[in-house]
Amino acid sequence: MLRSSAIAQSVSVTCVRHSHKQWLQSFHANYRLCDPTRNSAAIFKLKRKANYKRGMGTFAPRASAQPLQNADQLIDSVETFIFDCDGVIWKGDKLIEGVPETLDMLRSKGKRLVFVTNNSTKSRKQYGKKFETLGLNVSEEEIFASSFAAAAYLKSIDFPKDKKVYVIGEDGILKELELAGYQYLGGPEDGGKKIELKPGFFMEHDEDVGAVVVGFDRYFNYYKIQYGTLCIRENPGCLFIATNRDAVTHLTDAQEWAGGGSMVGALIGSTQREPLVVGKPSTFMMDYLANKFGIAKSQICMVGDRLDTDILFGQNGGCKTLLVLSGVTTLTMLQSPSNTIQPDFYTNKISDFLSLKAAAV
C-alpha cells in the first residue's frame, strides 16, 4: 500500500463533460488509485498531474485587464454567468447596491446564473435561505458552495460509505455530508473540547476516519488540530481535503477576517501534507458545473472580487473573467507590477452592467 505521504498535493480534477461514465473514465485516467485488493476499505489515493501547485496555475502572461466599457458586448458573448457571493453579491449580511436589478436584467436576456462560494459554513439549502432573506430569487440548484463541493468530490471518487469523515468546519459541511450519505464526526461540537496535557497523556482517535475535511471554522481549537493530524498521519490512506485556502473572508461588512486558509494552514503545518482543494481556484467545481448544465466553458463568464481564487478559477476553467472592485481586490492591487493574475475585464460592481449598458445605447 502507498504511504500516506504519497497522497497528492492538490486537486485539478478533470470531470465529465457528457456523461457520468466519461467523467469517471477521465478522472481515473488522471489519478492513481490504491490497489483495493490490498485495502479492505478501498480508500483512494490521488496523485496530482503537476499542472498547478496548491490550486494555483502556471499560465502564460496575460495582457493587462481592460475596464469594462460595453456591457452588452460581454453579456451577448456568453450564455452563463458564474458569480462569487462574498464581495460580489453581498458583504457580510448586507446586499451590495444594484444587485437585484442586475440579476433580473440578466435573467430577462435568457442568461443562466450560477452562484459559487468558497464559504463552507452553510449548505446549499442554507444559502438559499440567505438569498431569500436578502430579497433575491435564487434556487438551490443555482448555488454551489464549497461545503457541497467537498461532499460531491467524495462521491466522485466513490469514497467508501463504511468510512468516516472528520470535519474541521461548520454546519454547512455536516449537512452536505449527511445528504450525500456519509458518516461524519467533529464539526462545531468539538469546539468546546480541550486537551489536558498531563505527563504520558495519549489522545485516542477513530481509526475508521478515511478523510479529514477542513473549512472555515469559528470554533477552531487545538483539539481539532490534533485530532485531524492524528487521522491524516496515522490512518492509512486518509485524505486531507480543503474546501478552500482563502486568506481572508467577509464575516461582516466592516472589515476583513481571517479566512479558511488559516485553518487549513495549521493542518498543513502539523501533517506536512498538502490538501486536495475542492473550492476555487481548483477546477473541480467548474468541471462539475459544466457537466451538470452542459455548458461550454467558452460560454461562461466568471465574475468575482478575488484574483487568486475567483479570477484564477475562471482562467483555470477556460472562461471569460470579470473582476469587480466591490470586495477584496482594489484597483491598486490589480495594477500592481507584482500582480500576475489579470482578468479579461474589471469594473466597480456588477450593477455597472446596467449603467454601462445604458451608456452604450
Side-chain angles (χ1 to χ4, degrees):
M1 182 186 298
L2 297 173
R3 295 180 62 85
S4 60
S5 60
I7 296 180
Q9 290 185 344
S10 65
V11 64
S12 173
V13 182
T14 304
C15 297
V16 62
R17 284 180 171 78
H18 302 295
S19 72
H20 184 66
K21 182 177 179 181
Q22 288 174 309
W23 183 7
L24 291 176
Q25 289 174 340
S26 177
F27 184 89
H28 295 318
N30 279 284
Y31 292 92
R32 252 184 322 131
L33 302 180
C34 282
D35 179 358
T37 65
R38 300 183 64 186
N39 185 345
S40 60
I43 294 295
F44 290 89
K45 292 184 179 180
L46 306 165
K47 186 173 178 69
R48 194 188 71 172
K49 287 284 287 183
N51 59 333
Y52 62 87
K53 184 178 182 181
R54 297 187 185 182
M56 303 293 286
T58 302
F59 299 94
R62 285 176 173 260
S64 296
Q66 299 298 309
L68 183 64
Q69 295 179 332
N70 188 333
D72 274 347
Q73 188 174 20
L74 175 59
I75 293 170
D76 292 342
S77 71
V78 296
E79 297 175 356
T80 300
F81 282 90
I82 299 179
F83 292 101
D84 176 47
C85 295
D86 299 329
V88 178
I89 305 298
W90 59 64
K91 274 192 174 183
D93 290 321
K94 184 178 180 181
L95 193 65
I96 293 175
E97 181 184 3
V99 166
E101 297 85 354
T102 305
L103 300 184
D104 287 344
M105 180 273 291
L106 292 173
R107 290 190 191 279
S108 72
K109 296 175 83 63
K111 304 302 174 181
R112 177 187 288 108
L113 307 184
V114 179
F115 302 87
V116 176
T117 175
N118 265 358
N119 191 327
S120 62
T121 60
K122 294 181 176 64
S123 65
R124 293 208 291 176
K125 187 172 184 177
Q126 289 172 314
Y127 269 113
K129 291 180 179 178
K130 177 167 184 174
F131 276 101
E132 184 179 353
T133 300
L134 292 172
L136 299 176
N137 184 23
V138 175
S139 71
E140 188 176 325
E141 289 295 305
E142 296 174 314
I143 303 168
F144 291 86
S146 62
S147 53
F148 172 79
Y153 175 76
L154 291 172
K155 289 183 72 172
S156 76
I157 63 169
D158 292 331
F159 182 76
K161 291 295 180 72
D162 61 341
K163 284 290 181 178
K164 300 175 185 176
V165 180
Y166 183 69
V167 177
I168 299 175
E170 300 193 13
D171 195 45
I173 299 174
L174 304 186
K175 289 185 179 299
E176 293 293 356
L177 289 174
E178 185 176 354
L179 286 172
Y182 291 114
Q183 305 175 68
Y184 60 81
L185 60 156
E189 74 171 33
D190 281 359
K193 295 181 179 179
K194 297 180 180 180
I195 298 175
E196 295 184 24
L197 295 176
K198 301 176 182 179
F201 176 75
F202 181 88
M203 183 176 177
E204 301 284 352
H205 74 282
D206 193 328
E207 296 181 357
D208 287 332
V209 170
V212 175
V213 175
V214 184
F216 179 78
D217 190 344
R218 285 169 289 190
Y219 312 100
F220 193 61
N221 58 20
Y222 188 65
Y223 179 92
K224 295 183 180 184
I225 295 176
Q226 177 64 3
Y227 201 100
T229 298
L230 290 172
C231 292
I232 293 169
R233 291 176 65 113
E234 298 187 10
N235 290 3
C238 184
L239 301 175
F240 176 16
I241 299 171
T243 60
N244 68 87
R245 297 182 69 166
D246 292 0
V248 296
T249 189
H250 290 114
L251 298 180
T252 70
D253 60 351
Q255 63 182 165
E256 292 178 350
W257 299 80
S262 58
M263 292 83 194
V264 175
L267 270 292
I268 291 173
S270 61
T271 63
Q272 294 297 290
R273 284 260 305 277
E274 290 292 326
L276 300 157
V277 181
V278 294
K280 298 173 292 185
S282 163
T283 61
F284 176 75
M285 279 203 286
M286 182 70 75
D287 293 332
Y288 186 95
L289 289 169
N291 173 67
K292 178 177 176 61
F293 294 115
I295 311 170
K297 294 178 185 177
S298 61
Q299 290 295 305
I300 298 173
C301 179
M302 176 64 209
V303 183
D305 69 311
R306 298 172 187 259
L307 294 168
D308 61 348
T309 55
D310 301 325
I311 301 306
L312 196 54
F313 176 63
Q315 291 177 354
N316 283 347
C319 308
K320 292 183 174 67
T321 54
L322 172 66
L323 174 75
V324 290
L325 305 175
S326 53
V328 170
T329 305
T330 65
L331 185 59
T332 300
M333 293 165 63
L334 172 64
Q335 297 179 339
S336 169
S338 63
N339 171 41
T340 60
I341 303 172
Q342 294 289 329
D344 295 311
F345 304 100
Y346 70 89
T347 194
N348 289 320
K349 53 188 182 299
I350 66 168
S351 60
D352 289 344
F353 275 154
L354 301 172
S355 59
L356 293 173
K357 178 180 181 295
V361 173

